[in-house]
Amino acid sequence: MGFSKGVFLIVYLLLVFFKPSLSNFSLSSKELSEVPINFLKSAKKSEVFDWMVGIRRKLHENPELGYEEFETSKLIREELDKMGISYKYPVAVTGVVGSIGSGKPPFVAIRADMDALPLQEKVEWAHKSKNPGKMHACGHDAHVAMLLGAARILQENRELLKGTVLLVFQPAEEGGGGAKKMIDAGALENVEAIFGLHAASHLPLAEVASRSGPLLAGSGFFEAVISGKGGHAAIPQHSIDPILAASNVIVSLQHLVSREADPLDSQVVTVAKFQGGGAFNVIPDSVTIGGTFRAFLKESLIQLKQRIEEVIMGQAAVQRCNATVNFFSKEKPLFPPTVNDKDLHKLFQKVAGDVFGTDGVKDMQPVMGSEDFAFFQEVIPGYFFFLGMKDDTMKQIPSPHSPYFRINEDALPYGAAMHASLVVRYLLESQTETPMGTGDFHDEL
Ligand SMILES: *[C@@H]1O[C@H](CO)[C@@H](O)[C@H](O)[C@H]1NC(C)=O
Ligand SMILES: *[C@@H]1O[C@H](CO)[C@@H](O)[C@H](O)[C@H]1NC(C)=O
Ligand SMILES: [Zn+2]
Ligand SMILES: [Zn+2]
């Protein structure tokens, strides 16, 4: 067989095998770019918008802490039932994993977190939290409403799905490692990629922001009890003062970043808790300090953890105190850094560009905050982005985790449309363009 005959045969075979998908792809390339706009139109319809707002307000009135999201989870399941979407429950205590599409591979997932924070809401409005000391102050009520919005759009357009979309509703994002428990419970089995978003009050409405590579830091928490010997504040020689010892510990901890870390490898050590004593004239027996440490590299995070312990123990001993350090390895596992997959970043830019226009898609600097979405990204390629919801009617923008925090409900349709468009396009394009990158045979043709 001559060379040209061989090439001809290969091209012929490729055409025979790929003709259907090629013709579908070329036919639908315009439709592909129209998917996001059509989804946004659907999400903005008053019927869908009002429904999402209603869900969000119901959740806002009834915030539940990590692993206690029983009513939240129930509401989600009731809505999925109404839409005829099947799901697995319970996954990691209160978690729910819905499924839309063929039920066959490829599987792609979109995720929302369900938990609230232990805060007393200070915003006076019709749908204020009814649970004392609990509040949706991070926008997870809106995240759930948007994922349900996406579910509705996807279910209505399920003929577009070339595979299966999993709707991952996870518990305990706020330090509880709910994502890790979802993975342990098998939520990501056979899943190729996962997308997640966070509402961002500083970013204008109808904009999104993210980046390829490291986006958010990895983090850990620590607490230390420094014990001395209490006594009369006027007779210090008879006491061992744990307040002064703890103060020196805190100052020494600041040297870990300023003197031991590479200045180009961003890290944070913050002592945010300092408790001890209570009277003006009594040296207490012990002091409790606690805080968080952050880094973008897992090695740096592990190094910080080790040095925090050494500094606390050593510095306490210098001042004749004893110390114990707790890193909450069980309740608050070390969060890995949130690192975005570069191929998913390309898909995100295309899809977001179709929803918001290229001006609405911003590249951002990494941030030292962290997200337990990172656990998913340790297992499979994942992509996390911020959804703008700035409210121009407000003079001051309340920060997340503040008792004055507020969501701009006008952002809900954008989040729902982004979620839905990302997975539809992922499934369509993974069968034509292979964004996950095993081959670029179309370019060869
Ligand atoms: C192409 O589209 C037709 C009609 O919608 C469908 O029946 C067929 O399964 C599609 N082929 C592929 C490979 O997606
Ligand atoms: C520290 O621990 C040692 C050993 O348990 C004990 O003898 C000592 O009294 C403790 N010191 C303080 C200040 O608690
Ligand atoms: Zn939060
Ligand atoms: Zn959050």
Side-chain angles (χ1 to χ4, degrees):
M1 188 164 60
F3 175 73
S4 57
K5 260 189 191 164
V7 170
F8 177 77
L9 185 63
I10 289 168
V11 169
Y12 176 76
L13 287 175
L14 280 174
L15 282 175
V16 167
F17 279 108
F18 293 115
K19 190 164 177 264
S21 73
L22 270 180
S23 64
N24 276 18
F25 180 58
S26 56
L27 270 180
S28 63
S29 71
K30 183 165 170 284
E31 287 157 17
L32 265 185
S33 69
E34 282 172 358
V35 162
I37 300 164
N38 291 334
F39 283 4
L40 182 59
K41 274 187 204 147
S42 305
K44 280 186 168 176
K45 274 190 206 148
S46 61
E47 186 197 342
V48 179
F49 178 69
D50 294 346
W51 167 76
M52 280 194 287
V53 167
I55 289 170
R56 183 263 153 169
R57 291 181 177 179
K58 237 186 254 172
L59 295 176
H60 194 84
E61 284 179 15
N62 187 22
E64 298 173 296
L65 301 182
Y67 300 117
E68 296 171 5
E69 308 93 336
F70 295 104
E71 294 301 316
T72 306
S73 173
K74 190 167 158 235
L75 183 147
I76 291 166
R77 282 175 281 126
E78 283 167 1
E79 291 299 338
L80 294 177
D81 282 335
K82 280 187 220 161
M83 293 186 268
I85 296 171
S86 62
Y87 53 81
K88 271 191 217 159
Y89 169 84
V91 184
V93 192
T94 55
V96 181
V97 179
S99 169
I100 308 175
S102 66
K104 294 195 196 100
F107 292 92
V108 61
I110 32 183
R111 168 271 205 175
D113 37 17
M114 307 187 288
D115 56 325
L117 284 159
L119 273 180
Q120 179 61 45
E121 176 160 14
K122 292 192 180 156
V123 188
E124 294 303 332
W125 68 305
H127 301 280
K128 187 179 173 175
S129 166
K130 290 181 176 157
N131 298 349
K134 295 174 192 173
M135 178 188 178
H136 270 295
C138 200
H140 300 183
D141 48 351
H143 295 172
V144 169
M146 290 188 279
L147 198 61
L148 283 170
R152 182 163 170 169
I153 296 167
L154 289 168
Q155 179 70 342
E156 280 167 7
N157 293 279
R158 56 190 178 277
E159 79 285 353
L160 283 176
L161 295 176
K162 305 285 177 212
T164 308
V165 176
L166 298 183
L167 311 161
V168 175
F169 296 92
Q170 73 149 84
E173 189 281 329
E174 299 286 1
K180 196 170 189 308
K181 284 217 166 63
M182 293 292 284
I183 295 164
D184 294 345
L188 290 191
E189 257 164 43
N190 304 319
V191 179
E192 281 186 6
I194 184 163
F195 296 91
L197 64 77
H198 207 296
S201 37
H202 60 278
L203 194 67
L205 192 66
E207 279 189 15
V208 281
S210 191
R211 75 195 299 271
S212 181
L215 175 70
L216 296 166
S219 72
F221 297 96
F222 66 95
E223 190 174 77
V225 179
I226 293 158
S227 321
K229 184 164 160 272
H232 199 298
I235 317 171
Q237 72 275 26
H238 290 171
S239 295
I240 299 174
D241 183 356
I243 289 195
L244 186 60
S247 304
N248 277 313
V249 164
I250 292 166
V251 172
S252 297
L253 286 174
Q254 292 312 305
H255 300 157
L256 295 181
V257 174
S258 74
R259 299 292 81 182
E260 294 185 18
D262 179 344
L264 296 179
D265 173 17
S266 306
Q267 300 182 24
V268 169
V269 175
T270 293
V271 175
K273 174 178 182 174
F274 191 127
Q275 284 174 341
F280 292 132
N281 54 1
V282 180
I283 292 171
D285 275 327
S286 71
V287 164
T288 302
I289 63 168
T292 179
F293 51 106
R294 312 273 162 128
F296 284 103
L297 298 173
K298 201 148 188 187
E299 306 89 88
S300 306
L301 209 58
I302 291 166
Q303 165 81 2
L304 275 181
K305 183 180 170 204
Q306 184 196 328
R307 290 292 293 141
I308 285 169
E309 177 154 16
E310 286 169 5
V311 166
I312 292 173
M313 301 305 282
Q315 192 54 263
V318 166
Q319 336 233 353
R320 299 177 296 150
C321 285
N322 290 337
T324 54
V325 188
N326 182 358
F327 287 100
F328 307 99
S329 329
K330 272 224 181 89
E331 314 92 285
K332 295 176 189 290
L334 276 188
F335 278 25
T338 300
V339 182
N340 280 336
D341 181 84
K342 72 176 195 314
D343 292 322
L344 296 182
H345 179 63
K346 286 183 202 149
L347 179 72
F348 166 79
Q349 285 187 307
K350 281 193 285 178
V351 172
D354 289 340
V355 176
F356 299 100
T358 41
D359 288 350
V361 187
K362 306 287 190 217
D363 240 357
M364 63 181 275
Q365 291 293 311
V367 179
M368 298 306 296
S370 59
E371 238 300 329
D372 87 344
F373 186 81
F375 285 111
F376 297 128
Q377 292 172 313
E378 273 197 323
V379 183
I380 57 170
Y383 196 83
F384 194 76
F385 62 97
F386 291 95
L387 177 78
M389 56 154 213
K390 191 168 167 188
D391 186 344
D392 290 325
T393 64
M394 294 185 75
K395 272 194 220 123
Q396 256 196 329
I397 298 165
S399 69
H401 294 208
S402 139
Y404 297 100
F405 183 71
R406 291 171 83 161
I407 275 288
N408 182 356
E409 291 170 338
D410 290 343
L412 297 178
Y414 294 100
M418 270 306 288
H419 270 317
S421 306
L422 280 167
V423 286
V424 165
R425 290 276 292 267
Y426 177 88
L427 292 175
L428 285 169
E429 298 184 32
S430 73
Q431 288 176 19
T432 49
E433 283 190 320
T434 60
M436 295 316 304
T438 41
D440 275 335
F441 54 81
H442 293 299
D443 292 347
E444 313 295 326
L445 282 174

